[in-house]
């Protein structure tokens, strides 16, 4: 088994199915914000700028629960980190993550700052402060990019994984981390289901109590791809899946607010999440077969995966601007144009703007790393 793991670690075969799920998750979030929240829910910047309300915008049955794409993202993140961090040093892991996160954030802020001021009417001083908070990765909001709220949660997960990789026995520690995340977060939500605690709060998010079940489930999906799951892991996966149903139900109430007519339909959102989580597991379980069959379409899927992160970060400011300009055409045409325009910009960022920034940041971090003494844990 160890020989197989070493071979897989060196080869790092692309998981093409994961790129498709990533893009689907980002699309869900985009369609939720542009196709439902902007029209139907008070309190959003887009709703205020749009200046009109429609409790049931055209296609709402397909868009109202798109927020569950975030829960899908967390499963994807857990699986990607578990798959890519194996056999990697803590230093290299930190450099990779920083070089992956920073470029898109810098580009998104460069887009969001002028858009917030000139399109959404945000005061210049406030927009600058929010931009600086975003660039500095301050974990408490607000931020210039509202959906940035998930990134510090990802960073909290990365920090724990970095500590695991820094330990003297990363394989054992990573195994323990899966259990710790799944049990702690699962217990949190199962206790919340009994009304013993009131779930919520930024601290619970940053401590991964709210979303740890998703990271743990993703890590289990990656282990499944290595043929490294036992019956006890299936029990942990079942616990995470049950706890996720409580989290999704609660998230539906948070997202919908007074719209109890829709929050009561949370099982549809949960079913959608469950299907995409199953696709993540299948992507790892049959990654070799998928890679052998997709042939020349592999590059397209990889590009879709790379465009997902910028798509997620820029869709309010790019897509929202298009939506406001096209709103007179009606909900469906405006949303289609906004989605297409945002996707085109995201692809351009992934193709032409992110790579040079990524290379520059990675090179700078390498130089910094060469000046820091290496620590080798005993044993």
């Amino acid at each position: 088994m160890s020989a197989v793991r070493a071979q897989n670690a060196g080869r790092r075969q692309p998981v093409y199915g994961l790129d498709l799920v990533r893009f689907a998750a980002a699309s869900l979030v985009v369609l939720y914000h542009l196709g439902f929240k902007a029209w139907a829910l008070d309190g959003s910047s887009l709703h205020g700028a749009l200046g009109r309300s429609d409790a049931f915008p055209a296609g709402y049955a397909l868009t109202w629960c798109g927020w569950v794409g975030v829960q899908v993202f967390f499963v994807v993140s857990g699986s990607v980190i578990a798959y890519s961090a194996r056999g990697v040093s803590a230093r290299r892991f930190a450099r990779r993550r920083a070089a992956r996160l920073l470029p898109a954030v810098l580009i998104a802020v460069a887009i969001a700052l002028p858009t917030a001021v000139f399109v959404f009417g945000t005061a210049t001083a406030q927009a600058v402060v929010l931009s600086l908070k975003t660039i500095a990765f301050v974990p408490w909001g607000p931020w210039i990019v509202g959906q940035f709220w998930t990134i510090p949660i990802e960073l909290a997960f990365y920090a724990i994984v970095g500590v695991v990789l820094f330990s003297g026995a990363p394989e054992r520690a990573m195994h323990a981390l899966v259990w710790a995340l799944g049990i702690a977060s699962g217990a949190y939500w199962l206790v919340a289901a009994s009304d013993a605690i009131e779930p919520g709060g930024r601290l619970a998010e940053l401590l991964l109590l709210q979303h740890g079940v998703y990271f743990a489930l993703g890590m289990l999906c990656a282990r499944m791809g290595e043929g490294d799951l036992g019956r006890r892991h299936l029990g942990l996966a079942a616990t995470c899946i049950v706890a996720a149903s409580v989290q999704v139900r609660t998230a539906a109430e948070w997202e919908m607010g007074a719209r109890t007519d829709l929050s009561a339909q949370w099982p549809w959102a949960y079913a959608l999440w469950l299907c995409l989580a199953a696709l993540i597991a299948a992507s790892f379980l049959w990654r070799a077969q998928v890679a052998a069959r997709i042939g020349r379409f592999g590059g397209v899927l990889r590009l879709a995966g790379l465009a997902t992160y910028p798509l997620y970060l820029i869709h309010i400011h790019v897509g929202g601007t298009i939506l406001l300009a096209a709103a007179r055409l009606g909900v469906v045409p405006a949303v289609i144009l906004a989605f297409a325009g945002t996707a085109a910009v995201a692809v351009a960022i992934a193709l032409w703007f992110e790579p040079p920034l990524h290379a520059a940041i990675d090179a700078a971090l390498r130089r910094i790393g060469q000046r820091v003494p290496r620590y080798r844990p005993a044993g």
Side-chain angles (χ1 to χ4, degrees):
M1 182 66 72
S2 60
V4 173
R5 289 178 186 168
Q7 187 179 20
N8 287 339
R11 191 166 52 223
R12 284 295 178 270
Q13 188 179 55
V15 186
Y16 291 110
L18 205 58
D19 291 317
L20 186 60
V21 175
R22 274 175 174 161
F23 190 79
S27 298
L28 284 173
V29 176
V30 173
L31 291 173
Y32 167 62
H33 284 139
L34 302 182
F36 182 80
K37 191 172 184 178
W39 308 85
L41 297 181
D42 294 331
S44 73
S45 58
L46 276 179
H47 186 78
L50 197 59
R52 55 185 282 190
S53 293
D54 186 346
F56 299 98
Y60 80 94
L62 301 175
T63 59
W64 79 268
C65 61
W67 47 266
V68 83
V70 168
Q71 282 81 344
V72 177
F73 275 135
F74 288 139
V75 180
V76 169
S77 182
S79 65
V80 167
I81 296 305
Y83 182 63
S84 62
R86 179 169 287 184
V88 175
S89 68
R91 183 184 300 227
R92 188 178 181 189
F93 173 78
R95 191 186 76 242
R96 280 181 175 179
R97 291 297 94 198
R100 169 62 177 151
L101 289 177
L102 274 171
V105 169
L106 293 174
I107 295 168
V109 169
I111 293 171
L113 177 55
T115 305
V117 173
F118 296 110
V119 177
F120 298 133
T122 306
T124 302
Q126 180 185 6
V128 170
V129 170
L130 295 178
S131 297
L132 292 175
K133 285 181 64 179
T134 307
I135 293 171
F137 286 77
V138 175
W140 273 268
W143 306 272
I144 193 70
V145 178
Q147 57 274 28
F148 185 85
W149 70 272
T150 64
I151 306 303
I153 297 172
E154 296 272 359
L155 286 175
F157 175 58
Y158 298 162
I160 296 174
V161 172
V163 171
V164 165
L165 296 176
F166 195 70
S167 70
E171 186 71 22
R172 183 181 302 175
M174 191 72 82
H175 182 73
L177 176 59
V178 178
W179 285 91
L181 286 173
I183 291 174
S185 181
Y188 176 84
W189 284 111
L190 294 178
V191 171
S194 67
D195 296 325
I197 62 172
E198 183 68 29
R202 187 60 173 168
L203 185 60
E205 289 180 339
L206 295 174
L207 292 176
L208 304 184
L209 291 174
Q210 289 199 40
H211 304 100
V213 289
Y214 299 112
F215 292 113
L217 192 62
M219 296 174 79
L220 289 173
C221 288
R223 292 183 72 93
M224 179 185 294
E226 302 294 330
D228 197 19
L229 281 188
R231 290 183 178 178
R232 64 189 186 281
H233 297 111
L234 296 179
L236 178 61
T239 299
C240 292
I241 290 170
V242 171
S245 69
V246 183
Q247 198 280 330
V248 169
R249 184 188 69 185
T250 306
E253 295 172 355
W254 290 339
E255 290 287 343
M256 292 300 103
R259 295 293 302 274
T260 55
D261 57 320
L262 290 177
S263 61
Q265 298 183 38
W266 67 267
W268 290 107
Y270 178 66
L272 179 57
W273 169 80
L274 197 59
C275 289
L276 290 173
L279 285 177
I280 293 170
S283 297
F284 280 95
L285 189 60
W286 294 300
R287 67 178 184 269
Q289 293 89 329
V290 172
R293 288 181 179 274
I294 62 171
R296 57 188 179 142
F297 294 105
V300 175
L301 287 176
R302 288 299 298 136
L303 179 58
L306 292 172
T308 294
Y309 184 37
L311 178 65
Y312 176 72
L313 289 177
I314 68 170
H315 72 269
I316 294 294
H317 294 90
V318 173
T321 301
I322 299 172
L323 189 77
L324 295 177
R328 66 182 184 280
L329 300 177
V331 174
V332 174
V335 172
I336 290 174
L337 288 172
F339 182 89
T342 307
V345 174
V347 168
I349 290 171
L351 280 175
W352 299 307
F353 296 98
E354 262 194 304
L357 267 178
H358 181 282
I361 291 171
D362 186 67
L365 292 174
R366 283 177 184 273
R367 289 193 295 270
I368 293 171
Q370 289 170 357
R371 298 173 185 173
V372 178
R374 291 184 178 271
Y375 170 77
R376 297 183 183 279

